Amino acid sequence: MATPTQSARPSPERIFGVLNAFQSSAALKTAIELGIFTAIAEGVDRASVIALRVNAAERGVRILCDYLTIHGFLIKADDRYVLTQESAIFLSRHSPAYMGTLADFLVSEAHKRNFDALTETVRKGGTAVAQGDNTKPNDELWVTFARTMAPLTTVSAGFIAELAGAKEGRACKVLDIAAGHGMFGITIAKQNPNAQITAVDWAPVLAVAKQNAAAAGVADRVALRPGSAFEADLGDGYDIVLLTNIFHHFDMPTCEKLMRRVHGALKPGGRAITLEFVPNEDRVTPPTAAAFSLIMLAGTDAGDAYTFSEYEKMFQNVGFVMTTLHPVPDMPQQVLLTEK
Amino acid sequence: MATPTQSARPSPERIFGVLNAFQSSAALKTAIELGIFTAIAEGVDRASVIALRVNAAERGVRILCDYLTIHGFLIKADDRYVLTQESAIFLSRHSPAYMGTLADFLVSEAHKRNFDALTETVRKGGTAVAQGDNTKPNDELWVTFARTMAPLTTVSAGFIAELAGAKEGRACKVLDIAAGHGMFGITIAKQNPNAQITAVDWAPVLAVAKQNAAAAGVADRVALRPGSAFEADLGDGYDIVLLTNIFHHFDMPTCEKLMRRVHGALKPGGRAITLEFVPNEDRVTPPTAAAFSLIMLAGTDAGDAYTFSEYEKMFQNVGFVMTTLHPVPDMPQQVLLTEK
């Protein structure tokens, strides 16, 4: 949405802006799809030339680039556009931190459908359109997730590897639940040559993790266990179990069911490492973590963004002894470190 | 979108927020549809009770109200929600300034479709899906506009009536081009008992204007001329011609064609009053006016948000002598006053 004009008197401008906010998601996705940021990173800077480079109409590119400037993704000087620092780092395909692929998951038809049905969903109290039971496979959604969302994990995967003491290099058995792209376990395996990773997810999703493990040169230390985290044989004796972005899909009894399985798979003194959107107890701060709850309302039967005290209690209920909270630097997520 | 956490180091949080921004449009629309703001205005304040009142699930209402709080439309204290000043004024059905109906037009299926096709549209340089030629009738769209968007005009219609000197009460012939809901002409007629309004629009749209004129008690002074502003007999000898939110749908030659007709319909010394989103010459400020250009890209063949110098030149080209710019207080639009 456009930044509202600050005014002491009440104005409908912000309401107008939020009702139009869906346009900003579409505009950013389109710019990523067309490669606008990549073209500018390569040195073209006028709408006419960018248009030639990305195979689009000058009028379309001019209006889109102006809009991206209004929303802070470009800087315009006269009729030349340059990348902001953030766009150069995250939106140019030439950047190692490129995360344009996120648009394919976050602004997918599936997510848009969920929000098109939001009124019915609020009436019902759970998703009115999606397959809302995430204990069942949903290959199309989760393969897309695995293929597109890995770039968002770089910082948090590094942070988790550090919490796991990966660089100390001790022999370490790691279970990666709902591994998806596998990057959390793979990052530990890259930093610790004595780490053995076991990745659990649906088979088509694990195929993506397998590719990523091979690309990282750690495929020989990443074992795959296809199946449901709620039903597959997880093995046991793990030093660490990774639970990244999984609990928010379920109601509390289902979370506890998974936690109980994790508790059984850990060796004494082992640790569960949970990556989550964890709002404060008021459930309305910090904004990105708290707002995540609506995505779960829209797309699941009973998932939520749980608070720290809720996580602490659930882990306690199944026998864990202590949970501590660790914000991921510069990211909206937090890590819960829970000891068996 | 959620307000990004301010950070000195680059973070993908804002990109994540903008890709998710479509959710905020859906959430506000849903809250309006369910009557959440109206229920709170009536004095209920807990999710459980609001849920009963609006016939929805408590879980859905709790998560939605938290989300509305994050986005500044509610205030939460413990587990009670209260309206912000802005929500009380514009989003409760009990308020005379209620404008919840805007959601039906701004977040309509038609507009969402336009933005779903934005990539193709940017490639083409004009809408890839909509009927992009607004010289042709499009009853469904414009009847919805006329039925829903009138509340947004209260301030600007009052401002225009003032510029038109309505309260001075002189005999005055006013032509309202693309009248829609008719509220711009009707406001003048209400303030000036000696004003005669002629409203031009497609017949099904004028039916809405006719209802509004009757409700305002000025139907006897609002004549209807159904048809195209480009083809209908407009009459002549007008003191004032109103051109509200019309030029942005067309390319410059088409704007000039309409301006030339308006020039012919005005009496010597008459004035054209244009209400528009008028970005500065840089085309990226102020944000709401400048961002409007993307809506025209998405939904028209060749419309745009024109700058003041572009309007000034077009009016000059068809024989007008002077154009001045007048910001509408507390609103993102501006008025151009042009003398014949």
Side-chain angles (χ1 to χ4, degrees):
Chain A
M1 76 191 211
T3 307
T5 303
Q6 293 302 319
S7 167
R9 283 187 287 182
S11 154
E13 189 164 3
R14 214 169 57 85
I15 292 166
F16 188 78
V18 171
L19 291 173
N20 283 333
F22 70 96
Q23 300 166 5
S24 66
S25 306
L28 184 52
K29 187 182 188 195
T30 286
I32 290 166
E33 281 177 0
L34 290 174
I36 299 272
F37 301 104
T38 305
I40 297 174
E42 290 167 355
V44 298
D45 60 3
R46 290 171 192 275
S48 56
V49 191
I50 298 168
L52 281 173
R53 182 74 67 106
V54 305
N55 190 28
E58 178 178 348
R59 174 173 181 269
V61 168
R62 186 259 299 169
I63 293 175
L64 179 62
C65 286
D66 282 345
Y67 186 88
L68 295 168
T69 303
I70 295 163
H71 285 264
F73 293 106
L74 294 175
I75 297 160
K76 186 180 186 185
D78 298 322
D79 58 350
R80 294 163 187 269
Y81 301 96
V82 296
L83 300 182
T84 62
Q85 185 193 31
E86 186 184 283
S87 298
I89 293 172
F90 299 118
L91 297 174
S92 160
R93 285 183 197 133
H94 299 302
S95 165
Y98 176 66
M99 52 180 70
T101 56
L102 265 66
D104 293 328
F105 181 73
L106 297 176
V107 199
S108 60
E109 289 309 311
H111 279 124
K112 284 192 285 190
R113 257 197 316 273
N114 290 351
F115 280 86
D116 284 344
L118 189 63
T119 301
E120 197 185 339
T121 289
V122 173
R123 286 199 193 282
K124 184 182 168 190
T127 183
V129 283
Q131 175 198 307
D133 177 1
N134 282 288
T135 65
K136 303 285 183 296
N138 187 347
D139 292 343
E140 190 185 340
L141 185 68
W142 297 121
V143 169
T144 301
F145 177 89
R147 288 213 175 111
T148 61
M149 294 295 281
L152 195 61
T153 66
T154 310
V155 171
S156 46
F159 184 72
I160 285 172
E162 197 181 321
L163 280 178
K167 286 187 178 157
E168 295 161 23
R170 283 190 295 270
C172 179
K173 273 186 73 181
V174 178
L175 176 63
D176 190 355
I177 298 267
H181 39 63
M183 293 312 296
F184 293 100
I186 289 166
T187 301
I188 292 176
K190 281 171 72 178
Q191 294 191 11
N192 179 357
N194 297 310
Q196 299 284 342
I197 316 296
T198 300
V200 176
D201 211 319
W202 309 109
V205 184
L206 283 183
V208 181
K210 189 178 177 182
Q211 288 171 357
N212 289 336
V218 298
D220 57 325
R221 288 183 288 119
V222 178
L224 307 177
R225 288 201 184 217
S228 159
F230 292 89
E231 289 167 11
D233 176 9
L234 302 178
D236 57 18
Y238 293 102
D239 299 276
I240 287 166
V241 178
L242 303 178
L243 295 146
T244 57
N245 297 312
I246 170 111
F247 291 123
H248 55 236
H249 296 101
F250 309 111
D251 63 14
M252 288 187 183
T254 309
C255 289
E256 289 191 9
K257 186 174 165 191
L258 180 56
M259 288 170 178
R260 195 167 284 116
R261 301 198 90 216
V262 167
H263 191 269
L266 279 167
K267 72 179 189 189
R271 291 179 298 172
I273 298 182
T274 301
L275 179 70
E276 271 298 346
F277 292 94
V278 184
N280 296 328
E281 300 302 320
D282 64 11
R283 298 199 107 93
V284 294
T285 60
T288 301
F292 191 78
S293 183
L294 191 74
I295 304 179
M296 292 302 99
L297 175 68
T300 71
D301 289 339
D304 209 338
Y306 295 108
T307 65
F308 176 71
S309 66
E310 288 169 335
Y311 274 114
E312 192 177 36
K313 187 156 184 296
M314 288 190 278
F315 277 116
Q316 272 176 0
N317 287 348
V318 304
F320 283 92
V321 294
M322 194 174 75
T323 301
T324 52
L325 190 64
H326 308 262
V328 183
D330 303 322
M331 297 289 286
Q333 292 199 293
Q334 300 199 282
V335 169
L336 297 116
L337 196 62
T338 308
E339 295 176 23
K340 179 170 177 177
Chain B
M1 76 192 211
T3 309
T5 303
Q6 293 301 322
S7 166
R9 283 187 288 182
S11 154
E13 189 163 3
R14 212 169 59 85
I15 292 166
F16 188 78
V18 171
L19 290 174
N20 283 333
F22 69 96
Q23 300 166 6
S24 66
S25 306
L28 184 52
K29 188 182 188 195
T30 285
I32 290 166
E33 281 177 1
L34 290 174
I36 298 271
F37 301 104
T38 305
I40 297 174
E42 289 166 357
V44 298
D45 59 3
R46 291 173 192 273
S48 56
V49 192
I50 299 168
L52 281 173
R53 182 74 68 104
V54 305
N55 190 27
E58 178 178 348
R59 174 174 181 269
V61 169
R62 186 259 299 169
I63 294 175
L64 179 62
C65 286
D66 282 345
Y67 186 88
L68 295 168
T69 303
I70 295 163
H71 285 263
F73 293 106
L74 294 176
I75 297 160
K76 186 180 185 184
D78 298 321
D79 57 350
R80 294 163 187 271
Y81 302 95
V82 297
L83 299 181
T84 61
Q85 185 192 31
E86 186 184 282
S87 299
I89 294 173
F90 299 118
L91 298 174
S92 160
R93 285 183 197 133
H94 300 301
S95 166
Y98 177 66
M99 52 179 70
T101 55
L102 266 65
D104 293 327
F105 181 73
L106 297 175
V107 200
S108 60
E109 289 309 312
H111 279 124
K112 285 193 285 190
R113 256 198 315 274
N114 290 351
F115 279 86
D116 284 344
L118 188 62
T119 301
E120 196 185 339
T121 289
V122 173
R123 286 199 192 282
K124 184 182 169 191
T127 183
V129 282
Q131 176 197 306
D133 178 0
N134 282 288
T135 65
K136 302 286 184 296
N138 186 348
D139 292 343
E140 189 186 339
L141 184 69
W142 298 119
V143 169
T144 301
F145 177 89
R147 288 214 175 110
T148 62
M149 294 294 282
L152 194 61
T153 66
T154 310
V155 172
S156 47
F159 183 73
I160 285 172
E162 197 182 321
L163 280 178
K167 286 187 177 157
E168 295 161 23
R170 283 190 296 270
C172 179
K173 272 187 73 181
V174 178
L175 176 63
D176 190 355
I177 297 269
H181 38 64
M183 293 311 297
F184 293 100
I186 289 166
T187 301
I188 292 175
K190 280 171 72 177
Q191 294 190 12
N192 180 359
N194 297 310
Q196 299 284 343
I197 316 295
T198 299
V200 176
D201 211 319
W202 309 109
V205 184
L206 282 183
V208 181
K210 189 178 178 182
Q211 288 171 356
N212 289 336
V218 298
D220 58 325
R221 288 183 289 118
V222 177
L224 307 177
R225 289 200 184 218
S228 160
F230 292 89
E231 291 166 9
D233 176 8
L234 302 178
D236 58 20
Y238 293 102
D239 299 276
I240 287 166
V241 178
L242 304 178
L243 296 145
T244 57
N245 298 312
I246 170 113
F247 291 123
H248 56 235
H249 296 102
F250 309 112
D251 63 13
M252 289 188 181
T254 309
C255 289
E256 289 192 9
K257 187 175 165 191
L258 180 56
M259 289 170 177
R260 194 167 284 116
R261 302 196 90 216
V262 168
H263 191 269
L266 279 167
K267 72 179 190 189
R271 291 179 297 170
I273 298 183
T274 301
L275 179 70
E276 272 298 345
F277 293 95
V278 184
N280 295 328
E281 300 302 319
D282 63 13
R283 301 199 105 93
V284 293
T285 58
T288 301
F292 190 78
S293 182
L294 191 74
I295 303 179
M296 293 302 100
L297 175 67
T300 72
D301 289 340
D304 210 338
Y306 295 108
T307 64
F308 176 71
S309 66
E310 287 169 335
Y311 274 114
E312 191 176 38
K313 186 157 185 294
M314 288 189 279
F315 277 116
Q316 272 177 359
N317 287 347
V318 303
F320 283 93
V321 293
M322 195 174 75
T323 301
T324 51
L325 189 65
H326 308 262
V328 183
D330 303 321
M331 296 290 285
Q333 292 199 294
Q334 300 199 283
V335 169
L336 296 117
L337 196 63
T338 308
E339 295 177 22
K340 179 171 177 177

